[in-house]
Amino acid sequence: LSFNAKVNTSNSYLDSLKILSSASKEPHASKKTVRIIPQSAERILDAPDFIDDYYLNVVDWSANNHLAVALDSTVYIWNANNGAITPLFECTGGEYISSLRWIPGGGEHLAVGLNSGQVQLWDVAQAKRSRVMAVTADSSRVASLAWNQYILSSGCRSGSILHSDVRVANHMVAISNQHTQEVCGLVWSPDGKYLASGGNDNLVCVWSGQGGQCFAGQQPNLVIREHQSAVRAVAWCPWQPAVLATGGGASCRAIKIWNCNSGKQVTSLDTKSQVCSLVWNENYHELVSSHGHPHFEINLWKYPAMKKVGELKGHTGRVLQLCQSPDTSTLLSAGADETLRLWNLFPIEEKKKEAKKKESWNALTMGMR
């Protein structure tokens, strides 16, 4: 790893994610007009010291419309409702942030993984750390995190996936072992029944909840060996819970779609570029992919035909991570060029917006100690 200079936390630095440019919005279109794919980002946020590391997961957008981003050793919270930017905390002693994940359902708790093997839980509303969990005995960095109700799953550089019940003092409830190298992709299915993991060992594993619990068992149900490079991009289809999309690294460059009930590959396509991240959009039934070498671009694919319907360009470095706003209308891309770009990609009707808000209010709320 190559470390950048330590983040400056002086008052002048609080605007480190300041808006650098704003593209003019497309004119309001009638319902019958053809959808317009934006040619440029709606907003660009400066993100100095964003670490150029394929294996990290350091951007996440909460159901409350708060964006968490790690710039080297500091976590910042950008309130997308009012534009306010707040530093949450800064690591010391050479530590840096290796993963972030908001608790689902509109809660204010953020899980933060460190390169030291530690996971911290933060109450962002109170700007207070709730607890510290040492999840790796060998100080192996935590590159990926995934929530399933009150269970937090942590993917480690050692290849282990550790499952913690954040409600209790003795938090470790299970360990899943199959990967032999770093677990850099980790996500639970929308129904909470399956966990997908991707690793630097080129494997994708699908794990089921152990005995109906919210954590995975010791052995995977399915092991996928068809990728020829590290697999960081893993994403479950939100409207077909058994469908999983995976993307391979620089030596693979393929997006593959899997039916995890049958274990069979549904589709495979060569993207001609390193696949860094995958995101589904349910309203448009599209899959979005972001890419590294040699083409730093974002591609839109119509599912299930997997026909390319658009390209988004502008990043000058690897587009390492994608995430969507709570209403799924806006796509955020995080690049090795130290910019975060907001794309007005999936406009939705007002009725659908209201439905999304109701879902957020009715979602699971949790207490921690």
Side-chain angles (χ1 to χ4, degrees):
L1 292 172
S2 176
F3 294 90
N4 292 323
K6 185 178 179 182
V7 172
N8 180 1
T9 56
S10 63
N11 290 335
S12 62
Y13 192 75
L14 296 184
D15 63 348
S16 61
L17 298 179
K18 64 181 180 298
I19 300 170
L20 294 184
S21 69
S22 179
S24 59
K25 296 183 179 179
E26 300 291 345
H28 180 69
S30 65
K31 293 183 180 179
K32 294 183 180 180
T33 57
V34 177
R35 171 191 175 200
I36 298 174
I37 304 297
Q39 297 301 303
S40 59
E42 185 178 27
R43 303 170 84 179
I44 301 177
L45 309 179
D46 185 26
D49 294 326
F50 187 87
I51 298 177
D52 181 8
D53 190 324
Y54 178 78
Y55 303 99
L56 305 187
N57 294 272
V58 291
V59 175
D60 197 27
W61 206 329
S62 78
N64 289 342
N65 211 18
H66 293 165
L67 180 72
V69 56
L71 304 182
D72 192 22
S73 59
T74 304
V75 176
Y76 288 87
I77 306 297
W78 178 57
N79 186 332
N81 296 309
N82 58 26
I85 300 163
T86 307
L88 182 63
F89 77 97
E90 181 181 12
C91 299
T92 58
E95 289 185 326
Y96 63 90
I97 313 299
S98 51
S99 53
L100 295 170
R101 183 69 69 179
W102 289 100
I103 193 169
E108 290 286 353
H109 285 88
L110 178 69
V112 181
L114 306 182
N115 66 313
S116 62
Q118 188 181 93
V119 172
Q120 300 182 6
L121 299 181
W122 282 79
D123 183 340
V124 175
Q126 301 296 323
K128 181 180 179 181
R129 190 172 65 186
S130 302
R131 69 179 300 180
V132 177
M133 300 184 295
V135 298
T136 62
D138 57 354
S139 298
S140 173
R141 77 174 179 183
V142 181
S144 54
L145 295 166
W147 286 97
N148 191 16
Q149 297 187 42
Y150 48 84
I151 296 295
L152 179 62
S153 301
S154 307
C156 305
R157 176 174 261 174
S158 63
S160 296
I161 304 171
L162 301 102
H163 308 282
S164 299
D165 186 337
V166 300
R167 305 171 300 174
V168 298
N170 297 323
H171 58 87
M172 194 71 65
V173 293
I175 301 176
S176 302
N177 286 309
Q178 178 67 37
H179 292 282
T180 58
Q181 296 186 44
E182 187 161 33
V183 179
C184 46
L186 197 64
V187 60
W188 280 93
S189 61
D191 57 12
K193 293 181 179 179
Y194 296 99
L195 176 68
S197 60
N200 194 35
D201 53 6
N202 307 351
L203 297 183
V204 175
C205 297
V206 178
W207 318 72
S208 63
Q210 181 174 310
Q213 298 292 331
C214 297
F215 52 85
Q218 295 183 351
Q219 299 297 324
N221 291 36
L222 176 65
V223 179
I224 297 170
R225 305 178 187 274
E226 276 67 23
H227 284 287
Q228 305 304 311
S229 189
V231 183
R232 179 187 179 279
V234 288
W236 292 99
C237 179
W239 66 93
Q240 293 182 340
V243 172
L244 177 70
T246 60
S251 299
C252 179
R253 305 181 178 187
I255 294 175
K256 297 178 182 291
I257 309 294
W258 307 89
N259 182 328
C260 293
N261 285 335
S262 65
K264 294 183 178 180
Q265 179 179 288
V266 178
T267 306
S268 179
L269 61 92
D270 183 3
T271 69
K272 310 298 183 183
S273 193
Q274 178 187 43
V275 183
C276 298
S277 187
L278 293 169
V279 169
W280 293 91
N281 185 275
E282 184 171 5
N283 292 329
Y284 285 77
H285 280 207
E286 290 176 0
L287 180 67
V288 188
S289 60
S290 70
H291 299 274
H293 304 293
H295 306 298
F296 309 138
E297 62 186 16
I298 301 167
N299 292 321
L300 282 71
W301 310 90
K302 191 67 177 179
Y303 179 80
M306 294 303 290
K307 177 183 177 182
K308 185 186 285 190
V309 294
E311 295 180 352
L312 307 178
K313 296 184 178 181
H315 281 285
T316 59
R318 295 192 293 179
V319 189
L320 292 168
Q321 196 170 347
L322 300 173
C323 59
Q324 291 183 105
S325 59
D327 65 2
T328 73
S329 66
T330 301
L331 180 78
L332 179 131
S333 57
D337 57 3
E338 298 187 338
T339 67
L340 308 179
R341 297 175 186 247
L342 296 162
W343 309 83
N344 185 18
L345 192 57
F346 300 111
I348 58 177
E349 300 173 7
E350 288 301 320
K351 288 183 179 180
K352 290 182 179 179
K353 286 184 180 180
E354 291 301 320
K356 292 279 184 184
K357 288 181 180 179
K358 289 181 180 179
E359 287 178 9
S360 176
W361 282 108
N362 293 331
L364 174 72
T365 57
M366 295 172 48
M368 295 185 184
R369 65 181 180 89

